[in-house]
Amino acid sequence: MSKDYDRYLGMDRPIARRDFINGAAVVIGGALFAGTTLGEGGPGIEPSNQADDDPPVLTGLRGSHPGSFETAHSLRDGTFWKTAPAPVDTKEAYDLVLVGAGISGLSAAHFFREHVGKSSRILLLENHDDFGGHAKRNEFHLGGKLQLCNGGTLLIDSPTPYSRQADGLLKKLGIDPPRLEEATADRTLYPSLELKPALFFDRGTFGSDKLLVGVPGGGRGWPHESEKAKTWKDFLADAPLSEAVREDIARIEESKTDYMPGFTSTEKKARLSKMSYRDFLLNIAKANPGVIPFYQTRTHGEWGVGIDAEPALDCWAIGLPGFQSMHLEPGAAPNMSYSAAGYANGGSYRYHFPDGNATIARLLVRDLIPEAIPGHSVEDIVTARADYSKLDEPASLIRLRLNSTVVAARNVGKPTAAQEVEVTYTRGKDLFKVHAKSCVLACWNMMIPFLCPELPEKQKEALHYLVKVPLVYGTVGIRNWTAFRKLGIQSVRALGSYWDSVSLNAAINIGDYHSPKSPEEPILLHLSRTPCKPGLPAREQHKAGRMELLVTSFEDFERKTRDQLARILGPGGFDPAEDIEAITINRWPHGYGYEYNPLFDPNWPEAERPNVIGRKKFGRIAIANTDSGATAYTDVAIDQAYRAVQELLTA
Ligand SMILES: Cc1cc2nc3c(=O)[nH]c(=O)nc-3n(C[C@H](O)[C@H](O)[C@H](O)COP(=O)(O)OP(=O)(O)OC[C@H]3O[C@@H](n4cnc5c(N)ncnc54)[C@H](O)[C@@H]3O)c2cc1C
């Protein structure tokens, strides 16, 4: 792109904390990565954080931020131990050490203390500069007003109803999703301003940029009557597509054809489970190949790959079109993915906090370390400021240590007879050792073979199988949303663009937190991208996507963000240089936990599934995280925490 265009985009403009970008971690992590020293205050080390630390307000490159993953990668590459200093023994001793302070690690701490008692000594070690793992809070102060967005885990929502343990934990934390949905979610604000879902066709794929507003039927949850009546033929009349392609999309969207006549519902489902949605469209619905770019990314948000790599039956389960007249009976069938089968059977309750499930993580931290976050209710935690200096106090029974990457967890003595685990971790350039009666690895499971090289080979192989799904969420603060108002749009599915979707932040009013109501006020935008490589098997697509994320600089993310917003919103008067106030890129090279894909993975019996083999307890070390449930949901993170703790307590 030319310098003039860069100037038009505002690449030369200072935005909030932009200058810290690739050093962002250096602000928070920086004090640590410059090398820590042993604390003066006795056997422990310096507290992780200072009172003025506030990681949620950092902008720039967040998610897996610089400084959080380099140690893990050098461990993977076999270079770490070649230069590692001798570990310093902190002499700290705990009943339980948890590796990973995501929702699974925090829940495991909660369950352990609940079973063992209030006097349990627990340490959580986390490699990021904030707790919550994927459940990350993005906090902005635009025009002096607090605005929140989820940096990762979006909402309480699962393919299956929350289990007794997971629902029970939410209740103990004061979370009642149906009540909160009713009391705090503002579903009328955007419709009352006549803002609608839209599609944007990107010129790189479709030849010209085009925004079409008011998707027929409106999409999930959209109650606008006029759009219900609109036909796809009319809606697509100005789309940059040939007439034949427009007709075929309209035929699929309003399908009146049984594309598999003569088969029973069971037989149809069996056939649909063995072909991709792409193949269904091309070979069964006999659609023009020109429809594929229109549908390609529809499965990105759910599974992290496009329709080339997702079974047609799974796509039916999440509501993709083409099946309306095929007389498929409701409910799950054999050979479906976990998500598709669950959603076909009805799914769970849903609720979105302003910072996503980061509120669950914060409630768990307040439950474990009350001094760190003030307040008592699910409403007041939304605006409460955490005091990070209280997370790791030597006098506390429960301590949470950030910026600490665990590099080894070792049973002392034979695993079958071990009474102690030694856990070694880095902070900055230093290496420390702590001692525990038990350990739960609530971290990303593919990391575990490097932490416990003495695991059986079969278990290590199983753990390596679980390739996490890369994703990136952008949060953009803008001066006002008059362009959205003028164009009549609330959310945009962008076809063929860099970001798959761009939406106004969800409108929620909870406690002292109030979403902006007037288009003249600043607001946050939520953007989402799923990097993958169509045509490859799903796990290979995830690996390719991860590489893409790791080599993309913040400057590239910023330029693509400004360019896309300018092209979508420019006709509504949006000025990318003037109107963008802050950008946070939540980069998750290791995102969703891997869910088996019926097109690529064998239909193993339960006991032979890699996640089941991989999560076996090893001496005094148990394994949690959503990975060990082979899927990516908060309820599963909690359930796996419960199981791991039970395994330790019953051993
Ligand atoms: C972008 C995105 C959106 C999502 N949206 C939803 C949603 O809407 N609803 C939903 O239910 N789920 C969603 N998920 C799935 C999400 O993964 C789970 O809901 C849940 O937050 C996972 O919790 P966890 O503790 O199992 O894992 P994580 O949140 O990944 O936590 C594990 C932690 O362990 C740390 N760690 C790893 N290795 C080490 C080490 N060696 N030393 C120290 N720490 C280590 C990691 O850095 C991480 O912080 C989403 C995930 C992503 C990435």
Side-chain angles (χ1 to χ4, degrees):
M1 285 181 198
S2 73
K3 281 198 170 134
D4 283 350
Y5 189 66
D6 263 5
R7 209 167 302 121
Y8 157 71
L9 292 180
M11 288 300 291
D12 56 337
R13 300 290 179 106
I15 55 168
R17 299 284 190 104
R18 151 111 161 269
D19 300 338
F20 292 105
I21 309 316
N22 278 313
V26 198
V27 178
I28 271 218
L32 305 161
F33 273 75
T36 41
T37 49
L38 268 180
E40 297 93 314
I45 56 169
E46 285 185 323
S48 304
N49 292 283
Q50 311 302 319
D52 56 354
D53 282 351
D54 202 0
V57 303
L58 290 178
T59 57
L61 208 43
R62 299 294 294 155
S64 281
H65 55 78
S68 64
F69 56 85
E70 293 79 355
T71 299
H73 285 183
S74 79
L75 197 63
R76 173 202 64 192
D77 297 341
T79 51
F80 177 79
W81 292 110
K82 289 184 184 152
T83 53
V88 174
D89 192 340
T90 64
K91 306 268 198 283
E92 291 174 25
Y94 296 91
D95 296 303
L96 179 68
V97 167
L98 288 139
V99 181
I103 287 181
S104 203
L106 293 165
S107 307
H110 169 92
F111 290 130
F112 186 86
R113 187 186 58 170
E114 187 173 67
H115 283 85
V116 175
K118 291 253 178 220
S119 59
S120 328
R121 284 181 56 81
I122 299 174
L123 172 70
L124 293 116
L125 293 165
E126 165 61 46
N127 61 329
H128 286 88
D129 61 17
D130 203 353
F131 55 79
H134 292 150
K136 167 111 60 193
R137 174 176 168 107
N138 284 174
E139 183 174 322
F140 294 76
H141 296 264
L142 300 174
K145 187 177 161 184
L146 171 69
Q147 298 210 30
L148 297 170
C149 195
N150 58 294
T153 309
L154 176 71
L155 81 169
I156 295 171
D157 170 39
S158 178
T160 54
Y162 270 50
S163 67
R164 192 160 62 81
Q165 281 77 31
D167 179 63
L169 180 58
L170 293 197
K171 286 210 170 80
K172 277 182 264 175
L173 296 173
I175 304 172
D176 176 352
R179 180 189 74 76
L180 287 167
E181 175 69 27
E182 178 69 28
T184 73
D186 183 348
R187 301 263 167 233
T188 57
L189 174 66
Y190 297 135
S192 73
L193 295 169
E194 290 285 308
L195 307 189
K196 303 171 184 176
L199 297 184
F200 178 75
F201 295 79
D202 184 285
R203 64 179 175 231
T205 306
F206 297 95
S208 61
D209 286 348
K210 184 79 198 169
L211 182 72
L212 298 183
V213 181
V215 181
R220 220 154 89 163
W222 181 251
H224 209 275
E225 289 304 318
S226 62
E227 267 56 50
K228 275 189 189 155
K230 199 190 261 179
T231 65
W232 275 87
K233 185 165 185 276
D234 290 346
F235 175 66
L236 292 175
D238 290 333
L241 300 167
S242 71
E243 194 179 339
V245 171
R246 288 201 305 267
E247 276 177 11
D248 263 8
I249 293 171
R251 171 168 68 86
I252 289 157
E253 294 288 343
E254 296 161 4
S255 182
K256 296 185 175 52
T257 309
D258 182 349
Y259 295 111
M260 290 181 175
F263 291 95
T264 65
S265 167
T266 307
E267 288 164 346
K268 286 173 186 170
K269 284 183 168 182
R271 292 183 69 198
L272 291 169
S273 75
K274 296 197 168 65
M275 68 180 79
S276 69
Y277 185 62
R278 183 181 196 277
D279 286 347
F280 166 77
L281 292 175
L282 295 178
N283 305 332
I284 306 295
K286 305 282 184 213
N288 184 307
V291 308
I292 297 303
F294 184 83
Y295 289 108
Q296 178 61 28
T297 57
R298 284 285 284 274
T299 47
H300 273 191
E302 191 63 50
W303 289 293
V305 285
I307 60 167
D308 56 295
E310 277 308 322
L313 186 63
D314 286 14
C315 294
W316 160 77
I318 61 160
L320 265 61
F323 309 99
Q324 298 93 313
S325 299
M326 289 183 65
H327 312 291
L328 298 175
E329 282 167 12
N335 211 30
M336 288 176 90
S337 70
Y338 173 84
S339 291
Y343 285 125
N345 286 338
S348 72
Y349 43 49
R350 291 163 66 93
Y351 180 67
H352 173 73
F353 284 103
D355 58 2
N357 288 3
T359 288
I360 303 182
R362 283 159 55 87
L363 285 166
L364 279 163
V365 169
R366 186 164 75 182
D367 170 67
L368 296 165
I369 312 170
E371 316 77 70
I373 309 184
H376 304 282
S377 73
V378 71
E379 281 83 13
D380 68 24
I381 195 138
V382 174
T383 47
R385 186 178 187 278
D387 180 348
Y388 281 76
S389 71
K390 297 280 194 297
L391 293 177
D392 189 16
E393 297 223 287
S396 298
L397 288 171
I398 302 187
R399 301 177 68 171
L400 198 168
R401 194 162 294 162
L402 299 170
N403 299 298
S404 302
T405 306
V406 172
V407 291
R410 190 178 68 81
N411 286 293
V412 178
K414 274 193 178 163
T416 44
Q419 298 296 313
E420 185 190 326
V421 183
E422 247 177 33
V423 179
T424 310
Y425 65 94
T426 58
R427 284 185 67 215
K429 292 189 168 57
D430 299 317
L431 208 53
F432 300 99
K433 195 191 282 182
V434 292
H435 307 263
K437 289 184 189 148
S438 298
C439 174
V440 172
L441 302 177
C443 55
W444 300 336
N445 281 196
M446 77 284 166
M447 176 91 196
I448 293 173
F450 304 107
L451 307 185
C452 308
E454 60 282 6
L455 278 176
E457 285 307 315
K458 191 175 167 200
Q459 188 167 357
K460 285 198 269 189
E461 201 183 306
L463 288 160
H464 281 307
Y465 192 87
L466 306 169
V467 177
K468 285 174 98 63
V469 178
L471 295 141
V472 54
Y473 281 0
T475 310
V476 180
I478 57 172
R479 228 165 30 129
N480 61 58
W481 36 299
T482 50
F484 282 81
R485 175 83 164 110
K486 202 160 171 190
L487 296 168
I489 57 176
Q490 173 193 344
S491 59
V492 182
R493 194 152 58 75
L495 307 172
S497 296
Y498 185 75
W499 295 102
D500 292 333
S501 65
V502 176
S503 318
L504 289 172
N505 203 9
I508 309 156
N509 302 302
I510 176 169
D512 291 337
Y513 183 82
H514 299 284
S515 289
K517 285 201 166 40
S518 158
E520 310 295 333
E521 290 179 77
I523 202 167
L524 297 177
L525 305 180
H526 174 67
L527 286 66
S528 156
R529 171 176 172 77
T530 308
C532 55
K533 198 139 178 55
L536 295 176
R539 290 187 314 138
E540 298 309 312
Q541 295 207 35
H542 301 328
K543 288 179 192 165
R546 169 169 319 133
M547 275 317 294
E548 182 206 297
L549 284 191
L550 286 169
V551 299
T552 306
S553 66
F554 180 82
E555 194 184 341
D556 286 347
F557 281 120
E558 179 181 354
R559 187 176 284 109
K560 287 177 197 301
T561 303
R562 289 178 177 275
D563 172 56
Q564 190 168 334
L565 291 179
R567 282 161 54 202
I568 296 176
L569 301 170
F574 182 81
D575 177 342
E578 287 292 326
D579 290 338
I580 293 177
E581 296 206 341
I583 301 178
T584 290
I585 300 295
N586 297 281
R587 176 184 64 169
W588 298 111
H590 302 278
Y592 295 164
Y594 185 70
E595 186 172 297
Y596 301 120
N597 181 319
L599 290 182
F600 302 104
D601 295 310
N603 194 2
W604 294 285
E606 175 72 10
E608 287 171 33
R609 297 183 155 215
N611 66 304
V612 176
I613 297 170
R615 74 187 181 204
K616 281 198 176 129
K617 186 170 81 71
F618 182 60
R620 297 304 307 155
I621 301 171
I623 295 173
N625 192 281
T626 49
D627 287 344
S628 53
T631 189
Y633 296 95
T634 290
D635 56 329
V636 175
I638 298 169
D639 289 340
Q640 292 301 321
Y642 186 82
R643 175 198 46 75
V645 168
Q646 289 305 311
E647 284 176 4
L648 290 171
L649 296 179
T650 52

